[in-house]
């Protein structure tokens, strides 16, 4: 039985393209009363994503927008932000949203946006982070939560969690262990935003009071 969302719950929209395990982690933490948020909408560019299937199964409002129906990336992003704005979110969480959001899209966002990325940024923005960490011989790897800004995976880092790379790790094994720390990292970071321990403001006076605080989950 889910705990009812309190009126003070932070209204969160989730953008996701894939399996949706980070979405599930957030939703389950909220359902068990461990995270003061309400997921007010799930938005996806993939109709057959795990994220949409999960939202459907949990009766969470969800919207699919097909990129092929829009002439340009900017048009898609405008429609995405308009749809998200209609849910009145206070925070947008990109959790495996596999599209680059245009600058115009970022400017049109109705509220601050954060993203979870599977690397210790600023190392390895973009794709194939686990294979790249292995190829570089890194002894540790992990995940970062950062503000979404116009540089790909380059916004201000809010929190990070790391794990040791094991000698025989394959990219898949490493990805699985990183995913296992992504979930508590994302929950802890969203909780810190909901509690006001991380503050997100737009404009030149943006202040992040928990900047680079590292959640050590080893
Ligand atoms: C995660 O590794 C996330 O960091 C990355 O995409 C993956 C999404 O996983 N951006 P899931 O869809 O939440 O399971």
């Amino acid at each position: 039985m889910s705990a009812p969302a309190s009126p003070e719950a932070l209204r969160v929209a989730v953008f996701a393209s894939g399996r949706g395990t980070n979405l599930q982690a957030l939703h389950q933490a909220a359902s068990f009363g461990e995270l003061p948020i309400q997921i007010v909408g799930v938005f996806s560019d993939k109709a057959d994503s795990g994220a949409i299937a999960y939202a459907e199964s949990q009766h969470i409002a969800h919207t699919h927008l097909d990129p092929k129906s829009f002439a340009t990336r900017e048009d898609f992003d405008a429609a995405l932000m308009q749809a998200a704005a209609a849910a009145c979110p206070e925070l947008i969480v990109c959790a495996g949203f596999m599209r680059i959001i245009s600058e115009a899209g970022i400017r049109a966002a109705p509220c601050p946006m954060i993203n979870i990325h599977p690397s210790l940024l600023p190392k390895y923005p973009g794709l194939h982070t686990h294979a790249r960490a292995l190829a570089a011989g890194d002894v540790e790897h992990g995940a970062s939560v950062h503000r979404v800004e116009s540089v790909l995976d380059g916004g201000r880092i809010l929190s990070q969690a790391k794990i040791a790379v094991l000698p025989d790790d394959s990219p898949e094994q490493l990805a699985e262990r990183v995913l296992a720390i992504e979930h508590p990292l994302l929950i802890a970071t969203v909780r810190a935003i909901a509690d006001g321990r991380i503050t997100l403001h737009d404009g030149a006076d943006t202040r992040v009071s928990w900047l680079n605080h590292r959640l050590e989950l080893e």
Side-chain angles (χ1 to χ4, degrees):
M1 177 78 174
S2 298
S6 87
E8 294 83 41
L10 186 77
R11 297 177 62 84
V12 173
V14 177
F15 291 0
S17 308
R19 292 163 302 191
T21 64
N22 279 288
L23 162 68
Q24 286 185 40
L26 287 177
H27 180 250
Q28 283 169 15
S31 299
F32 287 119
E34 291 161 5
L35 183 61
I37 68 165
Q38 181 189 0
I39 299 183
V40 293
V42 172
F43 300 84
S44 185
D45 56 327
K46 301 268 190 247
D48 58 354
S49 59
I52 288 282
Y54 180 77
E56 219 163 71
S57 74
Q58 300 297 314
H59 311 291
I60 303 169
H62 51 280
T63 303
H64 164 241
L65 289 110
D66 183 355
K68 291 202 257 346
S69 313
F70 297 88
T72 65
R73 178 177 299 279
E74 283 73 16
D75 289 349
F76 174 90
D77 290 348
L80 174 66
M81 293 306 171
Q82 204 176 3
C88 302
E90 297 167 282
L91 178 71
I92 293 172
V93 177
C94 298
F97 189 58
M98 302 307 284
R99 283 181 63 84
I100 293 174
I101 303 176
S102 61
E103 275 195 57
I106 293 171
R107 276 198 305 275
C111 60
M113 258 193 296
I114 63 171
N115 178 49
I116 182 152
H117 181 75
S119 80
L120 293 172
L121 290 169
K123 280 187 161 185
Y124 317 127
L127 298 175
H128 311 302
T129 58
H130 311 296
R132 287 156 72 197
L134 289 175
D138 290 356
V139 294
E140 55 182 29
H141 186 44
S144 307
V145 179
H146 64 91
R147 282 292 295 264
V148 175
E149 293 171 28
S150 54
V151 180
L152 176 66
D153 299 323
R156 275 150 290 188
I157 295 166
L158 302 173
S159 59
Q160 292 187 310
K162 61 187 174 184
I163 57 168
V165 175
L166 303 179
D168 295 327
D169 265 338
S170 65
E172 294 72 27
Q173 286 165 330
L174 191 53
E176 197 177 317
R177 296 209 323 286
V178 168
L179 187 67
I181 58 163
E182 285 184 36
H183 299 159
L185 176 69
L186 186 59
I187 292 168
T189 306
V190 172
R191 184 184 292 121
I193 293 170
D195 291 350
R197 280 175 293 130
I198 293 179
T199 53
L200 306 170
H201 299 288
D202 285 328
D205 63 346
T206 294
R207 187 170 64 85
V208 177
S209 61
W210 217 42
L211 183 68
N212 286 337
H213 183 107
R214 282 165 192 269
L215 302 179
E216 298 288 353
L217 297 172
E218 290 164 312

